[in-house]
Amino acid sequence: NAGVTQTPKFRVLKTGQSMTLLCAQDMNHEYMYWYRQDPGMGLRLIHYSVGEGTTAKGEVPDGYNVSRLKKQNFLLGLESAAPSQTSVYFCAISDRVRTEAFFGQGTRLTVV
Amino acid sequence: KNQVEQSPQSLIILEGKNCTLQCNYTVSPFSNLRWYKQDTGRGPVSLTIMTFSENTKSNGRYTATLDADTKQSSLHITASQLSDSASYICVLRGGSQGNLIFGKGTKLSVKP
């Protein structure tokens, strides 16, 4: 997980609260991704970014917003948290050419 | 339809036995295909990479194969160990923006 840092690691929210997850990288990679992973399930892409100032929707974007104002940071926002958003969130980065992605350690979010 | 399909979804084998995991893809990839291993609660970590000029590549007890004509890859694990229990994910780069595309993974459980 070197080079990709997610904050916070754990969070409990009440329904309707908002929060922002931060993904920070020091590898100067262009691509950044946010995934969620529910118990026993595969990764599902929420949003991704191919460069500073650009974002795109993934497979499950509803209820989330993202921003990439700086190349090294990719923020994931939940405006009004719902219990269905209880999950583990992973940030990943990759460069333009290789298929190798580097993942953060994950953020475990519980919405009650 | 998912661009990267993996099978089986889950698999249970006894320690010491061999197994083969499958990855079929429809996306026209830019460069290469990579297999990842994801331990429970951790982010995925790269296991092996296949370029499209390669048919077979081994990494210890792991052997990956690739048939670019049929768009199929497999990961063969020999003499399984308890520590092989994890999810195995197939990844390609593709799509309109060249982003990484992850399969849903195969969850492997190795029992003593």
Side-chain angles (χ1 to χ4, degrees):
Chain A
N1 294 340
V4 184
T5 303
Q6 289 182 229
T7 53
K9 292 184 175 59
F10 303 94
R11 184 72 185 270
V12 178
L13 285 180
K14 293 183 179 179
T15 298
Q17 286 185 318
S18 64
M19 76 164 295
T20 300
L21 283 67
L22 170 64
C23 176
Q25 58 140 330
D26 61 6
M27 300 178 71
N28 202 36
H29 280 357
E30 293 86 355
Y31 290 72
M32 298 187 76
Y33 310 79
W34 276 109
Y35 292 90
R36 63 176 288 175
Q37 188 171 37
D38 300 320
M41 305 292 287
L43 296 165
R44 291 191 292 171
L45 181 63
I46 305 171
H47 288 279
Y48 65 98
S49 169
V50 302
E52 181 179 326
T54 69
T55 63
K57 293 181 180 180
E59 180 186 357
V60 288
D62 294 342
Y64 305 95
N65 56 75
V66 287
S67 65
R68 183 117 181 252
L69 299 179
K70 295 182 179 180
K71 184 177 183 179
Q72 64 267 34
N73 295 337
F74 195 29
L75 287 83
L76 177 70
L78 286 74
E79 293 183 345
S80 180
S84 61
Q85 294 177 305
T86 294
S87 189
V88 179
Y89 291 84
F90 286 102
C91 173
I93 66 173
S94 70
D95 65 19
R96 287 189 179 280
V97 177
R98 302 187 304 165
T99 49
E100 185 166 23
F102 298 91
F103 283 79
Q105 74 276 34
T107 296
R108 188 172 297 276
L109 174 66
T110 302
V111 183
V112 297
Chain B
K1 179 173 168 57
N2 291 331
Q3 294 175 299
V4 180
E5 295 274 3
Q6 291 189 244
S7 61
Q9 187 174 9
S10 62
L11 182 62
I12 301 174
I13 62 173
L14 293 176
E15 186 178 11
K17 297 296 184 182
N18 304 335
C19 67
T20 300
L21 315 179
Q22 298 288 345
C23 173
N24 296 340
Y25 57 93
T26 58
V27 66
S28 296
F30 288 10
S31 56
N32 49 48
L33 179 149
R34 194 180 290 261
W35 284 91
Y36 285 77
K37 179 184 180 185
Q38 184 181 20
D39 293 314
T40 301
R42 307 292 296 272
V45 175
S46 179
L47 199 57
T48 185
I49 181 173
M50 299 288 292
T51 64
F52 291 96
S53 61
E54 296 175 308
N55 298 119
T56 303
K57 179 178 283 187
S58 292
N59 177 10
R61 294 181 297 103
Y62 300 98
T63 299
T65 65
L66 177 63
D67 185 333
D69 292 330
T70 61
K71 296 188 174 181
Q72 296 180 325
S73 178
S74 66
L75 181 69
H76 185 75
I77 303 175
T78 304
S80 61
Q81 300 176 357
L82 298 180
S83 60
D84 292 332
S85 294
S87 289
Y88 293 84
I89 306 170
C90 174
V91 182
L92 297 99
R93 182 179 293 277
S96 60
Q97 299 196 63
N99 50 291
L100 296 183
I101 301 172
F102 282 70
K104 296 298 182 184
T106 292
K107 186 173 183 178
L108 175 66
S109 298
V110 181
K111 303 294 185 183

